[in-house]
Amino acid sequence: MTTVLHRHARELGYCNRGTREFFARHGMDWPTFLREGLQASAFEATGDAMALKLVKHAEEANRG
């Protein structure tokens, strides 16, 4: 199971404002994401292309 961390989003250049808006739109927990990350499945469930890119990046970073 892959955990997606805030640093993964920053590494892709995703801004906090846009990411917070995404979290609000999808009912995701922003404070938990900042503290400990969220499971990849939460991002995959959105079907959003940028979220799927983030999951792929996190998976690759965790393998590296």
Side-chain angles (χ1 to χ4, degrees):
M1 232 185 291
T2 299
T3 299
V4 179
L5 303 172
H6 181 252
R7 74 173 173 85
H8 295 133
R10 299 301 293 166
E11 288 167 356
L12 289 178
Y14 292 0
C15 69
N16 279 340
R17 181 179 179 189
T19 305
R20 281 192 310 266
E21 290 172 1
F22 171 86
F23 271 61
R25 195 168 48 251
H26 292 281
M28 297 169 73
D29 188 345
W30 176 253
T32 298
F33 178 63
L34 291 177
R35 271 192 325 275
E36 59 199 65
L38 294 175
Q39 292 301 309
S41 58
F43 293 91
E44 292 168 336
T46 70
D48 180 86
M50 290 179 74
L52 298 176
K53 182 178 178 180
L54 178 58
V55 168
K56 182 178 178 185
H57 176 71
E59 289 171 344
E60 291 170 355
N62 290 342
R63 272 194 292 259

